[in-house]
Amino acid sequence: MQDENQSHWRERVEAVYRSDSRRVLATLIRLLGDFDLAEEALHDAFIAAVQQWPRDGMPANPRAWLVSAGRFKAIDNLRRRARFDASQRLLAEQLEEAATAFEEGEDVEDDRLRLIFTCCHPALPADAQVPLTLREVCDLKTEEIAHAFLSSPATIAQRIVRAKVKIRDARIPYQVPSLAELPERLDNVLRVIYLVFNEGYSASSGETLVRTDLSAEAIRLARLLLELLPDPEVMGLLALMLLHDSRRAARTTADGELVLLDEQDRTVWDRAQIAEGLVLVAQAFAARRVGVYQLQAAIAAVHAQAPDAVRTDWEQIVGLYDVLQRLTPSPVVALNRAVAVAMRDGAEAGLAEVDALLEAGVLQDYHLAHAARADLCRRLGRKAEARVAYQSALALIRQAPERRFIERRLRELDD
Protein backbone atom coordinates (compact mmCIF):
# COMPACT_ATOMS: atom_id res chain seq x y z
CA MET A 1 0.00 0.00 0.00
CA GLN A 2 2.85 2.36 0.86
CA ASP A 3 4.52 1.57 -2.47
CA GLU A 4 1.28 2.42 -4.28
CA ASN A 5 1.07 5.75 -2.43
CA GLN A 6 4.66 6.61 -3.31
CA SER A 7 4.03 5.70 -6.94
CA HIS A 8 0.90 7.87 -6.96
CA TRP A 9 2.77 10.91 -5.65
CA ARG A 10 5.72 10.36 -7.94
CA GLU A 11 3.32 10.37 -10.91
CA ARG A 12 1.74 13.62 -9.67
CA VAL A 13 5.13 15.29 -9.28
CA GLU A 14 6.18 14.07 -12.73
CA ALA A 15 2.97 15.54 -14.19
CA VAL A 16 3.82 18.91 -12.63
CA TYR A 17 7.34 18.59 -14.00
CA ARG A 18 6.02 18.03 -17.51
CA SER A 19 3.57 20.93 -17.32
CA ASP A 20 5.48 23.52 -15.28
CA SER A 21 9.21 22.79 -15.09
CA ARG A 22 10.10 25.18 -17.94
CA ARG A 23 8.06 27.96 -16.34
CA VAL A 24 9.76 27.36 -12.99
CA LEU A 25 13.21 27.25 -14.61
CA ALA A 26 12.61 30.50 -16.50
CA THR A 27 11.67 32.28 -13.29
CA LEU A 28 14.61 30.79 -11.39
CA ILE A 29 17.01 31.90 -14.12
CA ARG A 30 15.71 35.45 -13.82
CA LEU A 31 15.77 35.43 -10.02
CA LEU A 32 19.14 33.71 -9.60
CA GLY A 33 20.85 35.31 -12.60
CA ASP A 34 22.66 32.12 -13.60
CA PHE A 35 21.58 29.22 -15.82
CA ASP A 36 23.57 26.52 -14.04
CA LEU A 37 22.52 27.68 -10.58
CA ALA A 38 18.88 27.79 -11.71
CA GLU A 39 19.03 24.28 -13.20
CA GLU A 40 20.53 22.95 -9.97
CA ALA A 41 17.82 24.75 -7.97
CA LEU A 42 15.10 23.29 -10.21
CA HIS A 43 16.45 19.80 -9.63
CA ASP A 44 16.59 20.36 -5.86
CA ALA A 45 13.06 21.80 -5.80
CA PHE A 46 11.56 18.71 -7.44
CA ILE A 47 13.50 16.42 -5.10
CA ALA A 48 11.98 18.39 -2.22
CA ALA A 49 8.53 18.02 -3.80
CA VAL A 50 8.90 14.23 -4.00
CA GLN A 51 9.83 14.18 -0.32
CA GLN A 52 7.37 16.74 1.10
CA TRP A 53 4.20 16.62 -0.98
CA PRO A 54 3.23 13.05 0.05
CA ARG A 55 3.50 14.20 3.68
CA ASP A 56 2.07 17.74 3.47
CA GLY A 57 -0.21 17.44 0.44
CA MET A 58 -0.11 19.19 -2.93
CA PRO A 59 0.39 22.96 -2.47
CA ALA A 60 -2.35 25.27 -3.76
CA ASN A 61 0.11 26.78 -6.25
CA PRO A 62 2.71 24.11 -7.13
CA ARG A 63 4.63 26.43 -9.45
CA ALA A 64 5.09 29.16 -6.81
CA TRP A 65 6.04 26.49 -4.24
CA LEU A 66 8.72 25.11 -6.57
CA VAL A 67 10.11 28.57 -7.34
CA SER A 68 10.37 29.40 -3.64
CA ALA A 69 11.83 26.00 -2.78
CA GLY A 70 14.37 26.25 -5.61
CA ARG A 71 15.32 29.80 -4.59
CA PHE A 72 15.95 28.88 -0.95
CA LYS A 73 17.77 25.67 -1.89
CA ALA A 74 20.10 27.81 -4.03
CA ILE A 75 20.66 30.23 -1.13
CA ASP A 76 21.46 27.33 1.22
CA ASN A 77 23.90 25.87 -1.29
CA LEU A 78 25.63 29.22 -1.72
CA ARG A 79 25.92 29.65 2.07
CA ARG A 80 27.64 26.28 2.35
CA ARG A 81 30.05 27.22 -0.43
CA ALA A 82 30.69 30.60 1.24
CA ARG A 83 33.07 28.88 3.68
CA PHE A 84 35.45 28.54 0.75
CA ASP A 85 34.48 31.57 -1.37
CA ALA A 86 33.42 34.90 0.15
CA SER A 87 31.75 36.00 -3.09
CA GLN A 88 29.26 33.18 -2.66
CA ARG A 89 28.20 34.60 0.72
CA LEU A 90 27.57 38.01 -0.84
CA LEU A 91 25.53 36.42 -3.64
CA ALA A 92 23.49 34.45 -1.10
CA GLU A 93 22.72 37.66 0.81
CA GLN A 94 21.64 39.42 -2.39
CA LEU A 95 19.37 36.52 -3.33
CA GLU A 96 17.86 36.41 0.15
CA GLU A 97 16.96 40.11 -0.07
CA ALA A 98 15.41 39.58 -3.49
CA ALA A 99 13.46 36.59 -2.19
CA THR A 100 11.46 38.85 0.13
CA ALA A 101 10.24 40.91 -2.82
CA PHE A 102 9.27 37.77 -4.70
CA GLU A 103 7.46 36.32 -1.70
CA GLU A 104 5.40 39.50 -1.44
CA GLY A 105 4.29 39.01 -5.04
CA GLU A 106 5.89 41.25 -7.60
CA ASP A 107 4.18 42.10 -10.88
CA VAL A 108 5.98 39.63 -13.12
CA GLU A 109 5.74 39.42 -16.91
CA ASP A 110 5.78 35.97 -18.42
CA ASP A 111 9.26 34.69 -17.61
CA ARG A 112 9.53 32.35 -20.58
CA LEU A 113 8.93 35.22 -22.96
CA ARG A 114 11.48 37.26 -21.01
CA LEU A 115 13.93 34.35 -21.24
CA ILE A 116 13.44 34.02 -25.00
CA PHE A 117 14.49 37.64 -25.51
CA THR A 118 17.48 37.08 -23.23
CA CYS A 119 18.55 34.01 -25.20
CA CYS A 120 18.10 35.95 -28.46
CA HIS A 121 20.03 39.00 -27.25
CA PRO A 122 22.12 40.59 -30.05
CA ALA A 123 25.23 40.39 -27.85
CA LEU A 124 25.15 36.60 -28.22
CA PRO A 125 26.57 34.84 -31.30
CA ALA A 126 23.84 34.40 -33.90
CA ASP A 127 24.44 30.66 -34.20
CA ALA A 128 23.94 30.21 -30.44
CA GLN A 129 20.74 32.16 -29.87
CA VAL A 130 18.23 29.67 -31.23
CA PRO A 131 19.88 26.50 -29.81
CA LEU A 132 20.12 28.14 -26.38
CA THR A 133 16.45 29.08 -26.42
CA LEU A 134 15.32 25.66 -27.58
CA ARG A 135 17.40 24.03 -24.85
CA GLU A 136 16.51 26.31 -21.95
CA VAL A 137 12.96 27.44 -22.72
CA CYS A 138 11.62 24.24 -24.28
CA ASP A 139 13.82 21.50 -22.83
CA LEU A 140 14.80 20.06 -26.21
CA LYS A 141 17.74 17.70 -25.93
CA THR A 142 21.02 18.76 -27.48
CA GLU A 143 20.75 15.88 -29.97
CA GLU A 144 17.31 17.07 -31.12
CA ILE A 145 18.58 20.61 -31.66
CA ALA A 146 21.63 19.31 -33.51
CA HIS A 147 19.39 17.30 -35.86
CA ALA A 148 17.22 20.35 -36.56
CA PHE A 149 20.34 22.36 -37.47
CA LEU A 150 22.09 19.51 -39.33
CA SER A 151 24.98 19.89 -36.90
CA SER A 152 26.77 17.68 -34.37
CA PRO A 153 25.61 17.49 -30.73
CA ALA A 154 29.13 18.47 -29.57
CA THR A 155 29.04 21.65 -31.65
CA ILE A 156 25.58 22.62 -30.39
CA ALA A 157 26.54 21.88 -26.77
CA GLN A 158 29.62 24.08 -27.10
CA ARG A 159 27.55 26.96 -28.49
CA ILE A 160 25.05 26.68 -25.63
CA VAL A 161 27.76 26.66 -22.94
CA ARG A 162 29.51 29.68 -24.45
CA ALA A 163 26.23 31.58 -24.69
CA LYS A 164 25.48 30.94 -21.01
CA VAL A 165 28.93 32.18 -20.04
CA LYS A 166 28.45 35.29 -22.19
CA ILE A 167 25.09 36.07 -20.53
CA ARG A 168 26.65 35.71 -17.09
CA ASP A 169 29.88 37.60 -17.75
CA ALA A 170 28.29 40.40 -19.79
CA ARG A 171 25.42 40.68 -17.27
CA ILE A 172 22.86 40.53 -20.06
CA PRO A 173 19.54 41.52 -18.44
CA TYR A 174 16.62 39.11 -18.14
CA GLN A 175 13.96 41.41 -19.52
CA VAL A 176 11.67 42.03 -22.46
CA PRO A 177 13.19 44.87 -24.52
CA SER A 178 11.53 48.25 -24.75
CA LEU A 179 9.09 48.91 -27.59
CA ALA A 180 11.79 50.93 -29.32
CA GLU A 181 14.20 47.97 -29.28
CA LEU A 182 11.63 45.29 -29.97
CA PRO A 183 11.38 45.29 -33.80
CA GLU A 184 15.09 44.67 -34.38
CA ARG A 185 15.03 41.81 -31.87
CA LEU A 186 11.90 40.25 -33.33
CA ASP A 187 13.21 38.17 -36.25
CA ASN A 188 15.20 35.74 -34.13
CA VAL A 189 12.40 35.40 -31.60
CA LEU A 190 9.90 34.52 -34.34
CA ARG A 191 12.37 32.02 -35.77
CA VAL A 192 12.79 30.40 -32.36
CA ILE A 193 9.05 30.14 -31.75
CA TYR A 194 8.51 28.59 -35.19
CA LEU A 195 11.30 26.06 -34.65
CA VAL A 196 9.70 25.09 -31.35
CA PHE A 197 6.36 24.67 -33.10
CA ASN A 198 7.90 22.57 -35.88
CA GLU A 199 9.54 20.26 -33.35
CA GLY A 200 6.11 19.77 -31.80
CA TYR A 201 4.23 19.52 -35.10
CA SER A 202 6.63 17.01 -36.62
CA ALA A 203 9.18 15.77 -34.09
CA SER A 204 12.70 15.45 -35.48
CA SER A 205 13.10 12.00 -33.93
CA GLY A 206 11.40 9.53 -31.64
CA GLU A 207 8.41 7.23 -31.56
CA THR A 208 5.65 9.81 -32.09
CA LEU A 209 4.94 12.20 -34.93
CA VAL A 210 3.79 15.09 -32.74
CA ARG A 211 4.68 16.62 -29.39
CA THR A 212 1.57 18.60 -28.57
CA ASP A 213 3.19 20.21 -25.54
CA LEU A 214 5.75 21.96 -27.75
CA SER A 215 3.32 23.10 -30.44
CA ALA A 216 0.90 24.38 -27.79
CA GLU A 217 3.76 26.21 -26.06
CA ALA A 218 4.82 27.87 -29.31
CA ILE A 219 1.25 29.04 -29.97
CA ARG A 220 0.98 30.36 -26.42
CA LEU A 221 4.26 32.28 -26.74
CA ALA A 222 3.15 33.75 -30.06
CA ARG A 223 -0.08 34.96 -28.47
CA LEU A 224 1.91 36.65 -25.71
CA LEU A 225 4.21 38.24 -28.25
CA LEU A 226 1.23 39.49 -30.28
CA GLU A 227 -0.15 41.18 -27.15
CA LEU A 228 3.21 42.86 -26.69
CA LEU A 229 3.75 43.78 -30.34
CA PRO A 230 0.81 43.67 -32.81
CA ASP A 231 3.16 43.27 -35.78
CA PRO A 232 1.96 41.76 -39.11
CA GLU A 233 4.67 39.10 -39.00
CA VAL A 234 3.70 38.07 -35.46
CA MET A 235 0.11 37.78 -36.72
CA GLY A 236 1.36 35.77 -39.68
CA LEU A 237 3.33 33.37 -37.50
CA LEU A 238 0.44 32.81 -35.10
CA ALA A 239 -1.93 32.26 -38.05
CA LEU A 240 0.50 29.82 -39.67
CA MET A 241 0.82 27.75 -36.51
CA LEU A 242 -2.93 27.73 -35.85
CA LEU A 243 -3.70 26.63 -39.41
CA HIS A 244 -1.14 23.84 -39.29
CA ASP A 245 -2.16 22.76 -35.80
CA SER A 246 -5.82 22.61 -36.90
CA ARG A 247 -4.94 19.43 -38.83
CA ARG A 248 -3.35 17.66 -35.86
CA ALA A 249 -6.18 15.18 -35.22
CA ALA A 250 -6.16 14.08 -38.87
CA ARG A 251 -2.40 13.72 -39.29
CA THR A 252 -2.16 10.32 -37.62
CA THR A 253 -4.33 7.24 -37.36
CA ALA A 254 -5.62 5.98 -34.00
CA ASP A 255 -2.45 3.90 -33.62
CA GLY A 256 -0.10 6.78 -34.48
CA GLU A 257 0.59 6.12 -38.16
CA LEU A 258 1.28 9.06 -40.49
CA VAL A 259 -1.51 10.31 -42.79
CA LEU A 260 -0.51 12.64 -45.65
CA LEU A 261 -2.36 15.90 -46.28
CA ASP A 262 -4.18 14.69 -49.40
CA GLU A 263 -5.48 11.61 -47.52
CA GLN A 264 -6.61 13.34 -44.32
CA ASP A 265 -10.20 13.41 -43.10
CA ARG A 266 -10.83 17.14 -43.28
CA THR A 267 -14.03 16.88 -41.27
CA VAL A 268 -11.91 16.48 -38.11
CA TRP A 269 -9.81 19.58 -38.78
CA ASP A 270 -10.28 22.13 -35.98
CA ARG A 271 -12.61 24.71 -37.55
CA ALA A 272 -12.21 27.17 -34.64
CA GLN A 273 -8.45 27.28 -35.16
CA ILE A 274 -8.94 27.66 -38.92
CA ALA A 275 -11.38 30.55 -38.44
CA GLU A 276 -8.97 32.32 -36.08
CA GLY A 277 -6.07 31.73 -38.45
CA LEU A 278 -7.97 33.11 -41.45
CA VAL A 279 -8.86 36.28 -39.54
CA LEU A 280 -5.22 36.77 -38.56
CA VAL A 281 -4.08 36.28 -42.18
CA ALA A 282 -6.51 38.95 -43.34
CA GLN A 283 -5.38 41.34 -40.60
CA ALA A 284 -1.71 40.75 -41.37
CA PHE A 285 -2.10 41.43 -45.09
CA ALA A 286 -4.20 44.53 -44.38
CA ALA A 287 -1.01 46.14 -43.03
CA ARG A 288 0.41 46.04 -46.61
CA ARG A 289 3.83 44.92 -45.37
CA VAL A 290 4.38 41.36 -46.58
CA GLY A 291 6.71 39.00 -44.72
CA VAL A 292 7.70 35.35 -44.86
CA TYR A 293 5.35 34.17 -42.11
CA GLN A 294 2.39 35.96 -43.65
CA LEU A 295 3.06 34.28 -47.00
CA GLN A 296 3.39 30.84 -45.42
CA ALA A 297 0.19 31.47 -43.48
CA ALA A 298 -1.56 32.45 -46.72
CA ILE A 299 -0.48 29.13 -48.28
CA ALA A 300 -1.79 27.24 -45.23
CA ALA A 301 -5.04 29.22 -45.52
CA VAL A 302 -5.56 28.05 -49.11
CA HIS A 303 -5.18 24.44 -47.95
CA ALA A 304 -7.51 25.05 -45.00
CA GLN A 305 -10.28 26.40 -47.24
CA ALA A 306 -10.08 23.62 -49.85
CA PRO A 307 -12.66 20.79 -49.58
CA ASP A 308 -10.05 18.26 -50.72
CA ALA A 309 -6.60 18.03 -52.34
CA VAL A 310 -7.92 17.92 -55.91
CA ARG A 311 -10.00 21.08 -55.52
CA THR A 312 -7.20 23.03 -53.84
CA ASP A 313 -6.26 26.26 -55.64
CA TRP A 314 -2.80 25.06 -56.67
CA GLU A 315 -2.36 28.02 -59.02
CA GLN A 316 -2.62 30.39 -56.07
CA ILE A 317 -0.29 28.25 -53.96
CA VAL A 318 2.39 28.20 -56.68
CA GLY A 319 2.04 31.99 -57.00
CA LEU A 320 2.49 32.46 -53.25
CA TYR A 321 5.56 30.23 -53.30
CA ASP A 322 6.95 32.36 -56.15
CA VAL A 323 6.65 35.47 -53.98
CA LEU A 324 8.09 33.65 -50.96
CA GLN A 325 11.07 32.41 -52.99
CA ARG A 326 11.80 35.94 -54.20
CA LEU A 327 11.55 37.29 -50.67
CA THR A 328 13.65 34.59 -49.01
CA PRO A 329 15.34 32.19 -51.47
CA SER A 330 15.53 28.71 -49.96
CA PRO A 331 15.93 25.17 -51.34
CA VAL A 332 13.17 23.97 -49.00
CA VAL A 333 10.78 26.63 -50.32
CA ALA A 334 11.78 25.57 -53.85
CA LEU A 335 11.02 21.95 -52.97
CA ASN A 336 7.58 22.84 -51.61
CA ARG A 337 6.92 24.87 -54.73
CA ALA A 338 7.94 21.88 -56.89
CA VAL A 339 5.39 19.69 -55.11
CA ALA A 340 2.72 22.33 -55.74
CA VAL A 341 3.76 22.49 -59.41
CA ALA A 342 3.30 18.71 -59.60
CA MET A 343 -0.26 19.13 -58.33
CA ARG A 344 -0.95 21.95 -60.77
CA ASP A 345 0.88 20.78 -63.90
CA GLY A 346 1.40 17.06 -63.35
CA ALA A 347 3.97 14.77 -61.74
CA GLU A 348 6.43 15.04 -64.65
CA ALA A 349 6.71 18.83 -64.28
CA GLY A 350 7.17 18.58 -60.53
CA LEU A 351 9.76 15.79 -60.84
CA ALA A 352 11.90 17.90 -63.17
CA GLU A 353 12.10 20.63 -60.52
CA VAL A 354 12.82 18.18 -57.68
CA ASP A 355 15.58 16.54 -59.74
CA ALA A 356 17.17 19.92 -60.43
CA LEU A 357 17.29 20.64 -56.69
CA LEU A 358 18.81 17.25 -55.88
CA GLU A 359 21.35 17.54 -58.67
CA ALA A 360 22.42 20.91 -57.26
CA GLY A 361 23.35 19.02 -54.08
CA VAL A 362 21.58 21.34 -51.66
CA LEU A 363 18.98 18.82 -50.47
CA GLN A 364 20.87 15.54 -50.56
CA ASP A 365 20.66 15.23 -46.76
CA TYR A 366 17.00 16.26 -46.57
CA HIS A 367 14.80 13.18 -46.39
CA LEU A 368 11.66 14.97 -47.60
CA ALA A 369 13.35 15.78 -50.92
CA HIS A 370 13.99 12.09 -51.58
CA ALA A 371 10.49 11.20 -50.36
CA ALA A 372 8.99 13.78 -52.75
CA ARG A 373 10.97 12.36 -55.66
CA ALA A 374 9.93 8.84 -54.72
CA ASP A 375 6.26 9.80 -54.59
CA LEU A 376 6.37 11.51 -57.98
CA CYS A 377 8.17 8.53 -59.54
CA ARG A 378 5.56 6.22 -58.00
CA ARG A 379 2.76 8.29 -59.51
CA LEU A 380 4.48 8.07 -62.90
CA GLY A 381 4.85 4.29 -62.65
CA ARG A 382 8.66 4.45 -62.44
CA LYS A 383 8.86 1.88 -59.66
CA ALA A 384 12.60 1.19 -59.73
CA GLU A 385 13.43 4.90 -59.35
CA ALA A 386 10.79 5.27 -56.67
CA ARG A 387 12.28 2.39 -54.70
CA VAL A 388 15.78 3.92 -54.78
CA ALA A 389 14.44 7.32 -53.69
CA TYR A 390 12.37 5.83 -50.87
CA GLN A 391 15.44 3.94 -49.64
CA SER A 392 17.46 7.18 -49.71
CA ALA A 393 14.77 8.87 -47.63
CA LEU A 394 14.64 5.92 -45.23
CA ALA A 395 18.38 6.18 -44.57
CA LEU A 396 17.92 9.77 -43.35
CA ILE A 397 14.76 9.46 -41.25
CA ARG A 398 14.98 9.43 -37.45
CA GLN A 399 11.27 9.50 -36.65
CA ALA A 400 9.44 6.20 -36.25
CA PRO A 401 6.06 7.08 -37.87
CA GLU A 402 7.76 8.52 -40.98
CA ARG A 403 10.01 5.48 -41.16
CA ARG A 404 7.02 3.12 -41.01
CA PHE A 405 5.23 5.18 -43.68
CA ILE A 406 8.17 4.89 -46.10
CA GLU A 407 8.47 1.18 -45.36
CA ARG A 408 4.77 0.77 -46.23
CA ARG A 409 5.35 2.60 -49.51
CA LEU A 410 8.21 0.25 -50.35
CA ARG A 411 6.04 -2.77 -49.61
CA GLU A 412 3.30 -1.33 -51.85
CA LEU A 413 5.84 -1.04 -54.69
CA ASP A 414 6.75 -4.70 -54.25
CA ASP A 415 3.09 -5.71 -54.23
Side-chain angles (χ1 to χ4, degrees):
M1 191 69 177
Q2 186 177 3
D3 289 344
E4 289 182 9
N5 187 54
Q6 288 177 342
S7 176
H8 165 75
W9 275 104
R10 187 170 294 277
E11 288 175 4
R12 293 189 70 178
V13 174
E14 288 174 353
V16 173
Y17 183 89
R18 288 192 298 272
S19 63
D20 282 351
S21 63
R22 292 298 103 185
R23 292 182 175 93
V24 173
L25 179 64
T27 299
L28 286 171
I29 289 172
R30 176 177 62 82
L31 296 174
L32 300 176
D34 184 278
F35 281 88
D36 294 334
L37 190 59
E39 287 169 359
E40 182 182 357
L42 177 74
H43 179 70
D44 288 342
F46 273 96
I47 290 177
V50 170
Q51 295 168 346
Q52 296 181 36
W53 290 3
R55 183 188 68 226
D56 303 335
M58 178 79 80
N61 188 334
R63 192 187 312 162
W65 189 97
L66 288 161
V67 170
S68 293
R71 166 77 76 84
F72 287 113
K73 289 286 185 183
I75 292 171
D76 289 342
N77 289 336
L78 289 172
R79 281 177 178 154
R80 283 195 295 272
R81 296 169 192 167
R83 289 176 293 177
F84 309 101
D85 185 348
S87 66
Q88 299 291 293
R89 182 174 64 253
L90 177 60
L91 180 55
E93 291 171 356
Q94 292 172 340
L95 291 177
E96 193 165 16
E97 290 176 9
T100 304
F102 176 75
E103 288 296 314
E104 292 171 354
E106 52 188 309
D107 183 16
V108 179
E109 300 173 54
D110 185 271
D111 281 318
R112 281 171 297 173
L113 192 59
R114 188 194 303 259
L115 182 57
I116 284 181
F117 276 102
T118 301
C119 293
C120 296
H121 196 280
L124 298 177
D127 62 359
Q129 294 173 17
V130 177
L132 177 65
T133 309
L134 293 175
R135 179 71 191 92
E136 298 303 323
V137 179
C138 302
D139 202 24
L140 266 68
K141 293 181 175 59
T142 304
E143 291 77 11
E144 293 173 322
I145 302 168
H147 180 70
F149 282 89
L150 301 179
S151 186
S152 72
T155 299
I156 293 297
Q158 191 176 55
R159 290 175 187 171
I160 291 172
V161 169
R162 287 176 177 171
K164 289 181 181 179
V165 171
K166 177 73 172 180
I167 290 172
R168 184 194 64 207
D169 293 348
R171 298 185 182 278
I172 290 174
Y174 294 86
Q175 63 187 31
V176 175
S178 67
L179 287 176
E181 299 173 305
L182 203 49
E184 64 179 334
R185 299 272 300 276
L186 188 60
D187 285 350
N188 268 357
V189 172
L190 294 178
R191 181 171 172 240
V192 167
I193 293 174
Y194 194 37
L195 280 170
V196 173
F197 176 81
N198 279 336
E199 184 62 29
Y201 184 73
S202 183
S204 58
S205 61
E207 293 300 315
T208 59
L209 178 69
V210 298
R211 291 180 60 183
T212 55
D213 56 334
L214 288 180
S215 52
E217 175 69 4
I219 290 171
R220 198 195 75 82
L221 289 172
R223 290 191 192 281
L224 284 169
L225 192 58
L226 186 57
E227 289 178 16
L228 183 67
L229 183 68
D231 183 271
E233 273 290 76
V234 182
M235 293 178 195
L237 176 60
L238 179 55
L240 174 61
M241 294 190 297
L242 287 169
L243 291 167
H244 280 324
D245 195 58
S246 69
R247 309 174 196 155
R248 178 168 19 102
R251 294 182 61 236
T252 57
T253 63
D255 53 358
E257 298 304 316
L258 174 65
V259 181
L260 295 184
L261 176 63
D262 59 352
E263 298 172 351
Q264 289 174 14
D265 178 2
R266 301 187 180 212
T267 64
V268 301
W269 286 4
D270 189 321
R271 293 296 155 185
Q273 283 188 308
I274 290 173
E276 184 182 0
L278 294 177
V279 169
L280 285 166
V281 170
Q283 291 175 343
F285 275 91
R288 299 185 181 279
R289 179 160 57 85
V290 177
V292 295
Y293 294 109
Q294 295 168 64
L295 288 167
Q296 291 178 77
I299 293 167
V302 176
H303 285 297
Q305 293 172 299
D308 52 49
V310 174
R311 288 178 285 179
T312 300
D313 189 345
W314 293 107
E315 182 69 37
Q316 186 178 1
I317 288 178
V318 171
L320 287 166
Y321 273 125
D322 287 338
V323 178
L324 184 60
Q325 184 70 356
R326 287 197 297 271
L327 190 63
T328 174
S330 157
V332 174
V333 171
L335 175 65
N336 291 333
R337 181 189 178 280
V339 173
V341 166
M343 297 301 295
R344 183 191 67 178
D345 302 334
E348 195 76 58
L351 182 60
E353 297 200 11
V354 173
D355 280 346
L357 289 167
L358 287 169
E359 287 168 11
V362 290
L363 292 176
Q364 284 296 334
D365 295 328
Y366 189 52
H367 73 276
L368 292 177
H370 297 284
R373 184 179 200 281
D375 185 62
L376 293 173
C377 288
R378 179 182 63 86
R379 286 161 56 184
L380 291 167
R382 293 155 61 169
K383 290 188 175 183
E385 291 180 67
R387 184 175 292 104
V388 170
Y390 277 134
Q391 288 168 343
S392 296
L394 198 59
L396 297 167
I397 291 172
R398 299 178 58 190
Q399 185 201 88
E402 286 188 331
R403 173 173 292 277
R404 291 194 297 269
F405 177 83
I406 297 297
E407 288 170 345
R408 286 200 306 276
R409 285 291 200 228
L410 282 167
R411 288 195 297 272
E412 288 167 5
L413 288 177
D414 293 335
D415 292 340

